[in-house]
Amino acid sequence: MKKMKILIDCDTGVDDSLAILYALRKPEFEILGFTTGFGNTDAVQAAENTLRLLKLASREGEIPVSIGENAPLKGKWDGPVVHVHGANGISGVELPPSQQKPAEEKASDFIVRLARENPGELTLITLGRMTNVAKALEKEPGLPKLVRSLVAMGGTYHAPGNVSPVAEANIAGDPEAADIVLMAGFDTTIVGLDVTTKIHLTSKTFADLREYCAPENRPIADYLVQAFIPYRAFSRDSDGNLDYCPMHDPLAMLVAIDPSVCLMRRLPARVECGDGLCRGMIVTDGRNQHMDAPYANICVDVDEDLAINRLFGVFL
Ligand code: BDR
Ligand code: CA
């Protein structure tokens, strides 16, 4: 089996952790590295969480974790999203510490090196702000030609935003970086709120995971059950949901290996970087060809049951 080489850029919070554990259990992925950034938590804590997840999945010491940017290209970071992801980014769950230390190499240098060492083979999967990739582009403008593709969880096409009427957290958290990345000419796929909010993870999803997980995945299932309790409660209280949370980052990870779960439109896309109401909005041009921007694959619909079954199937 030819594996898909990936680098995961994350701000390891609750939904990132499900995406990471799925990737670690999906044999078709060859994870060459992790890079971390600010967002749900800071870049150092995100690396710490990632290292502990590697240990949880019995993969300690196998995959480098490199720390990246702790602030957007312009302006300041508002700080961790404690009310959604808890004080440590993973709902306060205390996973056993890992012996593995973060890599010495900075995230942007690591991205460039991996891309050069694997020309045409590497897929970048971004689950947070795109700041590390934007910094890597500064160092290697030829990055889009060196990597195979880029899959990003972020933005929204027609669904309401989650940090403003029109903007999603990962893009709004560093609009300048996101626009640089969209304009750079990667083979880009955007997995945004139109599809991630159509996936409903319920108490039954996690009860089933606990009941049917393979014995070797018991610690993973126990962790996920615990970490998602406050995350689902936040979703219920803030969005008026009855008993579910959306599934953001894991869907991007799934789409990277299994794009058939989503319906996509191919449209020119870039990000509004002005200071007004629409800051951080992804602007697509449905008229085709009028806007001077590279085309991106924008996920517009998803098969919810298929996505949940394929995602959680790796733990059974
Ligand atoms: C995105 O923001 C973060 O809270 C999540 O981890 C996800 O990447 C959803 O808007
Ligand atoms: Ca994330």
Side-chain angles (χ1 to χ4, degrees), residues 11 15-16 40 127-128 170 249:
D11 56 335
D15 62 322
D16 304 67
N40 297 326
L127 308 178
N170 287 343
D249 295 340

Side-chain angles (χ1 to χ4, degrees), residues 2 6 8-9 15 19-20 37 39 45 57 83 105 136 146 158 161 181 184 193 196 203 208 213 225 252 273 295 312:
K2 178 119 171 74
I6 60 170
I8 301 172
D9 182 84
D15 62 322
I20 289 167
Q45 182 65 43
H83 60 294
E105 196 174 17
L146 284 173
H158 282 160
V181 173
L193 300 178
T196 65
S203 51
D208 286 351
C213 73
V225 167
C273 292
Y295 280 66
F312 284 88

Side-chain angles (χ1 to χ4, degrees), residues 14-19 195-209 224-225 227-229 231-233 235-236 241-251 254 304-313 315:
V14 175
D15 62 322
D16 304 67
S17 69
L18 174 56
V195 283
T196 65
T197 57
K198 280 189 187 139
I199 311 275
H200 297 169
L201 301 182
T202 65
S203 51
K204 181 167 185 329
T205 315
F206 293 94
D208 286 351
L209 173 66
L224 289 172
V225 167
F228 270 83
I229 289 172
Y231 187 79
R232 282 191 294 116
S235 190
R236 184 188 57 223
N241 293 338
L242 287 178
D243 174 38
Y244 63 80
C245 63
M247 188 174 84
H248 300 302
D249 295 340
L251 185 61
L254 179 65
E304 182 193 9
D305 287 343
L306 191 65
I308 291 180
N309 289 340
R310 293 208 171 149
L311 200 292
F312 284 88
F315 304 116

